[in-house]
């Protein structure tokens, strides 16, 4: 795994390793409630409405994050990001994915320049498109 640059952060991170455990536990709850009674479980209700409803909810939550951030309301930002993460985890589950899949991707990107990583993804996309045209 690549090392994180040692520049002094402007904000001290407060993330702890237990966050991974929290995401894993939440993913398990989502998995167990997925096929539950939609009248008794919000997660089951989301799944019963289908993927489009789940994705719409992510869009709504993302907008609420932006609004809270524009207002500079720190507690509301945290709450709205929690809502966004939750609904994104529901979408991950809908596609057979877990937070661990996302964490693995973030670890893969760790230590890479964001600009270089973006350029590499664009090149991969161009390659895939050109192979599909032939």
């Amino acid at each position: 795994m690549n090392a994180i640059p040692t520049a002094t952060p402007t904000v001290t991170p407060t993330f702890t390793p237990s966050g991974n455990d929290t995401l894993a536990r939440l993913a398990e709850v989502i998995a167990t409630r997925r096929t539950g009674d939609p009248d008794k479980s919000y997660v089951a209700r989301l799944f019963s409405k289908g993927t489009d409803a789940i994705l719409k909810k992510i869009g709504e939550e993302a907008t609420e994050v932006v609004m809270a951030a524009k207002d500079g309301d720190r507690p509301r930002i945290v709450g709205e990001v929690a809502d966004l993460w939750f609904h994104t985890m529901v979408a991950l589950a809908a596609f057979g994915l877990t937070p661990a899949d996302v964490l693995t991707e973030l670890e893969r990107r760790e230590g890479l320049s964001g600009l270089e990583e973006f350029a590499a993804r664009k090149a991969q996309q161009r390659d895939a498109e050109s192979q599909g045209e032939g």
Side-chain angles (χ1 to χ4, degrees), residues 20-115:
N20 293 346
D21 296 336
T22 301
L23 294 175
R25 285 193 310 272
L26 182 54
E28 282 298 316
V29 169
I30 290 168
T32 59
R33 294 186 183 169
R34 179 178 183 159
T35 58
D37 182 350
D39 291 330
K40 296 181 181 176
S41 167
Y42 177 70
V43 170
R45 185 176 308 152
L46 280 173
F47 278 106
S48 73
K49 291 180 179 181
T51 306
D52 284 349
I54 294 168
L55 299 177
K56 180 180 176 188
K57 194 64 183 168
I58 291 171
E60 292 170 7
E61 298 301 341
T63 300
E64 290 174 9
V65 169
V66 171
M67 302 286 285
K70 285 185 70 68
D71 292 343
D73 186 337
R74 293 168 55 98
R76 198 168 121 228
I77 293 167
V78 170
E80 297 300 348
V81 169
D83 290 346
L84 177 59
W85 285 15
F86 172 81
H87 289 91
T88 301
M89 289 178 64
V90 171
L92 286 171
F95 292 96
L97 299 166
T98 68
D101 296 312
V102 177
L103 293 171
T104 298
E105 177 62 12
L106 289 172
E107 289 169 1
R108 184 192 67 78
R109 296 179 185 185
E110 191 174 1
L112 296 176
S113 158
L115 296 175

Side-chain angles (χ1 to χ4, degrees), residues 114-128:
L115 296 175
E116 291 172 2
E117 197 278 330
F118 180 74
R121 277 191 285 146
K122 283 296 206 183
Q124 279 183 322
Q125 183 180 3
R126 279 192 305 272
D127 290 347

